[in-house]
Amino acid sequence: MQSFRVALAQMNSTVGDIDGNLAQIVDLCCQARDVHQARVVVFPELAVTGYPPEDLLLRRDFIASATAGLSSLCGKINGICAVIGHPHQQENRLYNAASVIDSGQVIGVYHKRQLPNYGVFDEKRYFEPGCSPCVVPVDGIPVGITVCEDVWHEGAVEDSVADGARVILNLNGSPFHVNKSGQRENEVIAERARRNRVPILYVNLVGGQDELVFDGGSFVVRHDGTVTHRGQVFVEDLLICDMNRDTLIPEPGRLSPLPEFDESVYLAITTGVRDYVHKNGFAGVVLGLSGGIDSALTLAIAVDALGAQCVEAVLMPSRYTDTISIEDAIEEAECLSVSYRIIDIEPVFEAFLAQLKPVFQGLNPDVTEENLQSRIRGTLLMAISNKSGRMVLTTGNKSEMSVGYATLYGDMAGGFAAIKDVPKTMVYRLAEYRNGVSPVIPARVISRPPTAELAPDQKDIDSLPPYEILDPILQAYVEEDQATSEIIDAGYDAMTVKNTVRLVTRTEYKRRQAPPGVRITQRAFGRDRRYPITARYF
């Protein structure tokens, strides 16, 4: 049997690092050609610039650099046909494009036709839509080129097949959210392949870019919708697919497993933390370790992402900190081989109270004094960050961020929020998952009632509904946009629902000032859910 071999280059590009991305592309072309004897190698969407470049695309110098970079590839890629994603300027219009380079020549250029403009995507801000298919012959085999969203809608694949394409190559920058990989394969690509009786080779980006994480998982489906190949998830990979040259039916190949739900979320967060720290040039991270479950999970994520040598933990007890919190925090740090220090904030807290005593005269203690402690801790962490070059990793979860149960310029102070999009109930799930890999979080941290320890005998439940009630309400209101009446009709207490909605609405100003964090849901604060701060709609 004569084979037509295609390599799917699942690369981790860096937005704006055109030279670095080009070097990766050349290296992967050489690997595909020399090690695997592939005839074609396919790269992800906008591989030259990284994805998404956002308003860099509005800069003429950036587009000029990308154009020059693509031209330089023609002299560096020989002996293999490369399909490469890049921005393409033509007649004062910018397109999200893919060029086919063979024998040092561009033999075809495709312009993405379906431009997503929902959720985290706003491609219509930058690009014009294409209008024509692109089918190029490679060794006599007509190959159709599409980009990402094109295969989610009818039109691009159908037109390519009508134009003679017998294989579809699809270049993607498809970000992760929970349960998306199965939807891609089974509900979208497999159905498109079956409907058009054509194999589709799907290559996806991998790695973190600010809040977004790309999970890779490139795959191949036959004309009947059967998945024959799948690359690894959350790591760079070069997936090789052999097709019968006559029938163009993909032969069975490597089929890497998809992770279960909890593992996929954990891997997404560690990937996002690793790439945010590395791509922004930080020496590592520093975080406050309280003995609670949020900081314990964040510490484990940081170590798994960066290595223990790049993580520093700081314990900052106050008069309200329980002894077991200190004991558990020390156990967590030692279990993960993380260096830690203890800074007693009581003297600083007393100094603040002394200075503010005339201002607070005659006023009862309240949340003001609680927030002082949090802000002292934030100041200490930022000072350590400035001296060490280590970024502050914050530890707040989505449930807290939703209702404002966090201190502005206190525990919200930092460079990146690892579990910002993780509801509290999922925090517990991820802690159990991580302990299943190896025990790093003490059992009583998981079983102990959550507390901020900013007041005597304080528990989260004193201020908030139990998380098993709060999280479904937040899911309905924040992520599903249900009306208050709908949530109440579903069986939740009316006063609890109304109070929760009020808290979500009134604390939008806090979320606008929060650091970015890994997106794992389809309704993350910042990238997806964009509400006005000043608004009177409840």
Side-chain angles (χ1 to χ4, degrees):
M1 177 197 78
Q2 283 193 317
S3 177
F4 184 61
R5 178 168 290 184
V6 179
L8 303 183
Q10 184 173 291
M11 66 180 281
N12 185 349
S13 56
T14 299
V15 167
D17 184 11
I18 293 174
D19 289 342
N21 295 336
L22 293 174
Q24 277 196 71
I25 290 170
V26 172
D27 180 63
L28 288 165
C29 285
C30 293
Q31 287 186 48
R33 181 193 64 202
D34 301 336
V35 178
H36 300 285
Q37 291 77 51
R39 178 64 183 93
V40 179
V41 57
V42 191
F43 291 88
E45 182 176 11
L46 294 179
V48 169
T49 59
Y51 185 86
E54 299 184 270
D55 278 11
L56 285 172
L57 292 166
L58 302 178
R59 296 188 61 91
R60 290 188 297 274
D61 54 346
F62 181 73
I63 299 302
S65 295
T67 302
L70 182 77
S71 296
S72 73
L73 289 177
C74 291
K76 298 175 182 177
I77 299 174
N78 298 296
I80 192 167
C81 177
V83 184
I84 301 168
H86 63 98
H88 183 222
Q89 188 89 46
Q90 181 176 300
E91 296 177 354
N92 295 320
R93 294 185 175 188
L94 189 65
Y95 297 94
N96 185 338
S99 284
V100 184
I101 300 174
D102 198 9
S103 302
Q105 300 292 322
V106 176
I107 64 171
V109 179
Y110 174 74
H111 295 156
K112 184 177 181 179
R113 295 168 61 176
Q114 295 288 341
L115 301 178
N117 218 59
Y118 58 87
V120 301
F121 305 105
D122 50 6
E123 290 196 21
K124 290 182 180 179
R125 176 179 173 87
Y126 311 107
F127 298 116
E128 294 286 337
C131 58
S132 303
C134 176
V135 179
V136 295
V138 181
D139 297 348
I141 296 171
V143 176
I145 311 299
T146 57
V147 176
C148 202
E149 193 83 2
D150 289 329
V151 296
W152 290 68
H153 301 273
E154 189 169 347
V157 173
E158 287 73 11
D159 289 350
S160 296
V161 171
D163 233 25
R166 298 182 60 202
V167 177
I168 300 295
L169 305 180
N170 184 239
L171 293 70
N172 291 268
S174 181
F176 170 86
H177 63 69
V178 291
N179 298 320
K180 189 175 185 180
S181 55
Q183 180 189 21
R184 285 186 196 125
E185 290 187 12
N186 302 319
E187 297 179 24
V188 179
I189 311 303
E191 177 59 27
R192 188 71 56 207
R194 276 193 296 268
R195 188 173 301 175
N196 290 279
R197 306 299 295 172
V198 64
I200 299 177
L201 282 64
Y202 177 109
V203 61
N204 194 25
L205 187 64
V206 71
Q209 170 58 33
D210 294 344
E211 300 100 321
L212 301 181
V213 174
F214 300 89
D215 52 335
S218 303
F219 60 92
V220 176
V221 294
R222 288 170 28 132
H223 64 285
D224 60 2
T226 303
V227 178
T228 60
H229 301 68
R230 184 186 302 117
Q232 299 180 75
V233 294
F234 299 108
V235 295
E236 293 180 284
D237 199 2
L238 194 61
L239 184 64
I240 306 301
C241 171
D242 282 315
M243 289 180 283
N244 183 298
R245 185 174 289 275
D246 296 323
T247 65
L248 293 178
I249 295 176
E251 300 295 322
R254 171 158 60 89
L255 201 59
S256 301
L258 291 174
E260 296 296 328
F261 181 93
D262 294 340
E263 182 184 8
S264 70
V265 173
Y266 193 88
L267 290 173
I269 298 172
T270 54
T271 299
V273 169
R274 181 198 68 221
D275 278 4
Y276 191 86
V277 171
H278 287 168
K279 291 180 180 181
N280 284 291
F282 290 102
V285 297
V286 57
L287 59 91
L289 195 59
S290 69
I293 192 168
D294 292 331
S295 63
L297 176 63
T298 303
L299 182 70
I301 288 168
V303 171
D304 290 340
L306 305 169
Q309 74 282 0
C310 294
V311 181
E312 179 181 356
V314 185
L315 287 65
M316 294 169 285
S318 76
R319 64 183 68 172
Y320 304 119
T321 303
D322 199 308
T323 302
I324 65 172
S325 296
I326 299 174
E327 293 172 352
D328 289 342
I330 291 173
E331 182 180 344
E332 293 156 14
E334 292 180 343
C335 184
L336 287 162
S337 301
V338 169
S339 64
Y340 67 91
R341 68 180 76 235
I342 301 176
I343 302 177
D344 186 354
I345 71 166
E346 188 62 28
V348 185
F349 186 36
E350 289 177 351
F352 267 78
L353 292 176
Q355 291 296 315
L356 290 165
K357 186 175 181 179
V359 181
F360 293 172
Q361 190 71 36
L363 302 174
N364 293 325
D366 57 14
V367 71
T368 307
E369 286 78 7
E370 295 182 25
N371 288 341
L372 273 177
Q373 298 163 72
S374 183
R375 289 180 175 129
I376 289 167
R377 291 175 174 131
T379 298
L380 292 172
L381 288 172
M382 288 305 302
I384 293 170
S385 173
N386 288 160
K387 282 294 185 184
S388 67
R390 291 182 169 181
M391 182 193 71
V392 176
L393 196 62
T394 66
T395 62
N397 62 65
K398 188 171 189 174
S399 304
E400 295 171 345
M401 294 303 301
S402 296
V403 296
Y405 197 63
T407 303
L408 200 59
Y409 321 124
D411 57 322
M412 291 174 63
F416 200 65
I419 58 172
K420 178 181 179 179
D421 200 31
V422 181
K424 186 75 170 189
T425 48
M426 191 183 294
V427 168
Y428 285 100
R429 286 184 59 171
L430 294 181
E432 295 282 8
Y433 161 76
R434 182 57 183 83
N435 273 357
V437 177
S438 62
V440 295
I441 300 174
R444 71 179 176 187
V445 172
I446 298 175
S447 61
R448 183 183 173 200
T451 170
E453 292 190 320
L454 298 173
D457 301 317
Q458 187 181 48
K459 301 289 185 293
D460 287 8
I461 200 171
D462 297 337
S463 305
L464 301 173
Y467 287 110
E468 58 269 21
I469 294 175
L470 177 63
D471 280 356
I473 294 174
L474 293 172
Q475 168 76 25
Y477 183 71
V478 172
E479 301 195 26
E480 300 172 10
D481 290 320
Q482 290 187 26
T484 303
S485 58
E486 293 178 280
I487 304 171
I488 295 170
D489 289 345
Y492 293 98
D493 175 72
M495 188 58 67
T496 301
V497 172
K498 290 177 181 178
N499 285 339
T500 299
V501 169
R502 179 179 59 83
L503 288 172
V504 171
T505 303
R506 68 181 291 191
T507 55
E508 184 62 39
Y509 76 99
K510 283 189 180 183
R511 290 188 290 272
R512 287 288 186 94
Q513 300 178 70
V518 181
R519 172 188 183 265
I520 64 164
T521 71
Q522 289 182 269
R523 205 80 163 118
F525 292 119
R527 292 294 305 205
D528 299 283
R529 190 179 189 274
R530 309 174 194 179
Y531 269 55
I533 295 173
T534 305
R536 292 188 179 181
Y537 183 81
F538 292 91

